[in-house]
Amino acid sequence: MKLCMIGTGYVGLVSGVCFADLGNDVVCVDKDSSKIKSLKNGIVPIFEPGLSELVIKNYRNKRLTFSTNLKESIENSDIIFICVGTPTKKNGTSADLSQIYNVAQTIGSSINKFKIIITKSTVPVTTGDDIEKILLKKNSRKSFSVVSNPEFLREGEAIRDFIFPDRIVIGSNDKKTNRIMKNLYSPLISKGAQYIHTSRRAAELIKYSSNAFLATKITFINEIANLCEKTDINIEDISIGMGLDKRIGSRFLRAGPAYGGSCFPKDTKAIISTGKRFKTNLTLINSVIKSNENRSNLLLNRVNEILNKKIKNKKITFLGVTFKANTDDMRDSSCLKMIPKLTKMGAIIRYYDPTGYKKEFSKIKNVLYIDSIKKSVEGADLVIIHTEWNDFKSINFKNLSKGKKFIIYDMRNIYSPSKIKAQGFKYFSIGR
Ligand code: UGA
């Protein structure tokens, strides 16, 4: 099938490349010509394990092409995926849909035969209805079908999540379209993926509800971890004890810093906004947002206590600053709150991240990027393990400390407290 992916960000590029790898002809379109030029040269603008290899392979065998010509790409395709960003509106909490509507206008004036138009971008309930109205205005003979097909890809695991999804959700009010979509996804369905057909609005809401629920699960365990710290209980025991109940499940029950990334913070706010639009109070999700926003302050208070309330001139090293491992993404990383506050309190920050220097800290005084774990912890008073990269999972702290025993604050509970303490280090972690 001939597919067109509009937007070569995370969702569009990963999905486009994976669809090409399944044997479809895919054109990935972006208005950013420098991005398209780079992609044609095999340079992938985002860090995602395995993605470069798949781009190069499918570009070489001509199943994957790149273009800046949106109209032509739409005309030549049967299925159009809208994969542009839906960030939080400036000065608001709802999703900014301007890119979606702009693209819909161009699609409307480029429909030359029956086409399926799909939102893969995360869009609020009724966006599909709005797109349909825009298309109908431009194209009164209805020769299209508008579908919602949300993505559930995790950064860092996106290719695996695409190939082995827990479920494929197709929201369409039309039987013929459903058959075509099922056919498109048949290679994944035959490997065991569950295919669910719902109304378009339901598919839109499944995406927001899933992200809001996962954010709730994390926030729940983070709050229980706070209680564990006060009651001398190990949060890992709680996560295991709860997670073995099949109704609860063990995933996303790892306590840590505030959740971040480009999705959970944005989508939890947007669903509240949708709730308001339909006069429905989503109090639980509201509390989750508040609790998560407060979490970085809570962890900073802990840092203050760990350093006996003497942060001024203390050398603090962060290992990992991205919002999670296996990504170079800094969006809504809890470090963006913690590091500036620590420097205001007089701390001297050094950080090491496997994905390198971060421009986000370039204007903050006393924040320095160091290009190795070893050098970054030299002479530190406190080492904070912020991200759970494999690179940080078997550090020989004894060798690195060269006599001066820094304090370790392991925000991802990577190490065994007793083993690290036995080496003579003061060690703190989350909820234990
Ligand atoms: C999330 C969802 O997991 C994907 O299913 C979804 O497709 C995506 O958003 C999206 O809407 O596009 P992602 O933002 O890549 O994916 O990251 P996650 O792996 O979900 O992690 C989000 C945050 O939760 C991170 O800060 C992570 O460190 C934190 N987390 C996750 C925990 O603190 N504990 C956990 O047990 C799991």
Side-chain angles (χ1 to χ4, degrees):
M1 267 185 250
K2 288 190 169 181
L3 314 185
C4 170
M5 315 302 294
I6 307 178
T8 57
Y10 216 87
V11 176
L13 189 58
V14 171
S15 311
V17 170
C18 290
F19 275 129
D21 208 53
L22 292 177
N24 299 286
D25 287 327
V26 180
V27 55
C28 288
V29 193
D30 206 292
K31 59 184 179 192
D32 182 342
S33 53
S34 63
K35 213 176 188 185
I36 292 297
K37 199 173 158 203
S38 298
L39 283 164
K40 283 180 178 173
N41 289 318
I43 301 163
V44 175
I46 48 174
F47 177 93
E48 179 63 38
L51 185 60
S52 286
E53 294 83 342
L54 276 191
V55 167
I56 293 167
K57 174 185 157 199
N58 286 284
Y59 185 64
R60 281 199 186 134
N61 66 26
K62 297 193 168 54
R63 281 203 293 257
L64 180 66
T65 52
F66 297 103
S67 172
T68 50
N69 190 332
L70 183 54
K71 195 166 168 48
E72 186 187 87
S73 304
I74 295 168
E75 283 169 357
N76 292 337
S77 305
D78 308 305
I79 302 182
I80 324 288
F81 283 92
I82 303 178
C83 309
V84 295
T86 54
T88 305
K89 263 188 192 160
K90 280 192 187 105
N91 311 321
T93 54
S94 62
D96 176 355
L97 299 175
S98 54
Q99 295 187 65
I100 299 271
Y101 295 143
N102 279 342
V103 163
Q105 297 282 354
T106 312
I107 298 175
S109 49
S110 315
I111 294 179
N112 50 354
K113 57 179 175 178
F114 177 76
K115 293 194 195 289
I116 299 179
I117 291 108
I118 302 166
T119 47
K120 237 193 195 314
S121 307
T122 300
V123 291
V125 177
T126 67
T127 305
D129 304 2
D130 295 341
I131 293 174
E132 195 166 272
K133 279 182 206 145
I134 293 172
L135 299 184
L136 274 174
K137 253 192 195 167
K138 295 249 170 194
N139 199 296
S140 52
R141 280 196 353 267
K142 192 176 180 289
S143 53
F144 58 82
S145 177
V146 178
V147 173
S148 164
N149 170 214
E151 55 82 23
F152 302 103
L153 311 175
R154 285 165 302 165
E155 291 188 18
E157 316 271 349
I159 293 176
R160 210 175 139 267
D161 283 350
F162 185 95
I163 302 170
F164 302 106
D166 288 343
R167 78 295 207 193
I168 296 158
V169 176
I170 299 296
S172 141
N173 306 335
D174 165 38
K175 274 189 187 157
K176 178 184 161 197
T177 305
N178 181 40
R179 271 200 306 276
I180 300 173
M181 292 306 295
K182 202 165 184 178
N183 190 30
L184 175 67
Y185 277 108
S186 58
L188 306 184
I189 298 167
S190 63
K191 277 194 206 150
Q194 294 278 338
Y195 181 92
I196 304 157
H197 180 214
T198 65
S199 70
R200 192 169 58 211
R201 287 185 177 189
E204 290 169 341
L205 191 55
I206 284 171
K207 168 69 188 194
Y208 278 102
S209 310
S210 300
N211 274 3
F213 187 78
L214 291 171
T216 305
K217 218 174 161 187
I218 297 166
T219 305
F220 179 88
I221 206 70
N222 281 343
E223 289 200 350
I224 298 295
N226 297 341
L227 183 58
C228 284
E229 283 173 16
K230 300 270 166 63
T231 49
D232 200 18
I233 294 170
N234 186 337
I235 187 66
E236 307 292 324
D237 290 341
I238 307 299
S239 294
I240 294 168
M242 283 177 65
L244 284 172
D245 184 329
K246 287 195 178 68
R247 293 168 302 175
I248 298 173
S250 60
R251 294 170 75 189
F252 280 67
L253 271 188
R254 271 180 300 113
Y259 63 72
S262 65
C263 305
F264 289 174
K266 159 177 91 74
D267 295 347
T268 42
K269 280 184 211 146
I271 194 174
I272 293 290
S273 209
T274 303
K276 278 188 189 146
R277 192 152 57 91
F278 291 96
K279 300 197 171 24
T280 305
N281 211 351
L282 301 171
T283 49
L284 178 61
I285 305 173
N286 244 326
S287 306
V288 167
I289 295 172
K290 279 197 193 123
S291 172
N292 194 61
E293 283 177 352
N294 192 37
R295 183 146 187 84
S296 299
N297 288 334
L298 210 131
L299 297 193
L300 279 179
N301 286 343
R302 189 100 203 276
V303 170
N304 203 15
E305 277 165 20
I306 289 171
L307 291 172
N308 294 324
K309 303 201 170 143
K310 287 181 190 132
I311 286 195
K312 201 165 165 50
N313 295 327
K314 286 285 178 341
K315 290 184 184 133
I316 303 178
T317 299
F318 275 78
L319 293 180
V321 288
T322 54
F323 81 97
K324 64 170 188 177
N326 298 322
T327 178
D328 59 354
D329 201 338
M330 288 295 291
R331 283 177 288 179
D332 269 301
S333 167
S334 57
C335 270
L336 294 173
K337 279 193 180 162
M338 290 198 276
I339 289 182
K341 283 192 181 159
L342 284 169
T343 57
K344 272 197 187 132
M345 292 163 91
I348 298 153
I349 307 288
R350 287 176 296 175
Y351 71 94
Y352 167 76
D353 192 282
T355 59
Y357 168 81
K358 302 293 165 207
K359 63 177 183 333
E360 286 78 0
F361 301 123
S362 62
K363 291 203 175 106
I364 305 172
K365 231 176 114 187
N366 287 332
V367 181
L368 194 64
Y369 169 68
I370 307 284
D371 66 1
S372 81
I373 300 177
K374 190 170 178 249
K375 281 191 271 168
S376 72
V377 303
E378 254 169 38
D381 295 296
L382 172 68
V383 173
I384 295 178
I385 305 174
H386 174 264
T387 318
E388 72 281 32
W389 284 89
N390 281 342
D391 312 43
F392 305 148
K393 288 185 180 161
S394 22
I395 299 177
N396 188 332
F397 288 108
K398 222 173 172 182
N399 279 356
L400 289 189
S401 69
K402 287 192 183 153
K404 181 182 173 187
K405 292 259 164 36
F406 40 72
I407 306 169
I408 299 167
Y409 187 9
D410 178 359
M411 291 189 179
R412 297 286 178 171
N413 291 357
I414 293 175
Y415 289 95
S416 143
S418 54
K419 278 190 191 155
I420 296 282
K421 282 177 189 164
Q423 292 175 29
F425 289 93
K426 267 194 178 170
Y427 175 86
F428 299 87
S429 52
I430 301 280
R432 47 182 206 170

